[in-house]
Amino acid sequence: MKLRKLTLFAVVAAIAVAILAPTALARSAGVTIKLKGPSTAAQGATIKLTATISNPERADGYRAAIIMQNKDGHLKRIGAKAITWTNGGRKGTVAFRVKAAPSAMGIAQYRAAWMHPEGTTRSNVVRVEID
């Protein structure tokens, strides 16, 4: 019985490490992404979402950031765009233009992500009320 509990604990711990390790590495690297956008938009309108990336080391990683929308409870990639780096590759910006389409109850939720050697860093969630 004790061996079964110990085995179960080891499996759960291994899964937790596999899920949380990339996020922990990204945070320890100090990489952050801040996504900004409008709070409301008309359905079908093109809206601008701006992501600002702060990388204390330098711009090692993919040259493009991706934008995702929450659809049916899952993040779905809806686009990618090249990052413009400044300050020796420590600050980056990217502007996404997306079509406003609600996912649930008239609200669209967007999130940006960028892959770098320490893992993938995701931005905050921007909620846009679609009229």
Side-chain angles (χ1 to χ4, degrees):
M1 188 65 140
K2 287 185 180 184
L3 182 60
R4 184 183 296 174
K5 286 182 181 179
L6 183 61
T7 304
L8 180 62
F9 177 75
V11 169
V12 170
I15 291 171
V17 167
I19 292 171
L20 300 176
T23 304
L25 284 172
R27 289 185 186 201
S28 69
V31 178
T32 59
I33 302 176
K34 175 73 174 163
L35 186 64
K36 296 178 190 174
S39 58
T40 61
Q43 186 166 349
T46 301
I47 59 174
K48 181 180 177 182
L49 300 168
T50 305
T52 304
I53 301 168
S54 176
N55 185 3
E57 296 299 320
R58 57 189 176 88
D60 283 339
Y62 286 178
R63 297 189 196 306
I66 63 170
I67 188 75
M68 300 169 287
Q69 183 177 7
N70 188 344
K71 291 187 178 184
D72 299 325
H74 302 285
L75 286 173
K76 182 178 178 184
R77 179 184 165 161
I78 59 173
K81 194 156 184 195
I83 302 167
T84 303
W85 292 101
T86 59
N87 195 15
R90 290 183 175 86
K91 295 284 182 184
T93 57
V94 59
F96 300 101
R97 297 210 182 271
V98 297
K99 191 173 216 175
S103 56
M105 299 188 328
I107 296 174
Q109 297 182 31
Y110 300 98
R111 189 171 217 178
W114 179 58
M115 292 180 67
H116 48 87
E118 290 83 17
T120 300
T121 301
R122 292 187 177 173
S123 72
N124 56 305
V125 175
V126 171
R127 290 171 176 81
V128 180
E129 186 176 331
I130 309 295
D131 296 329

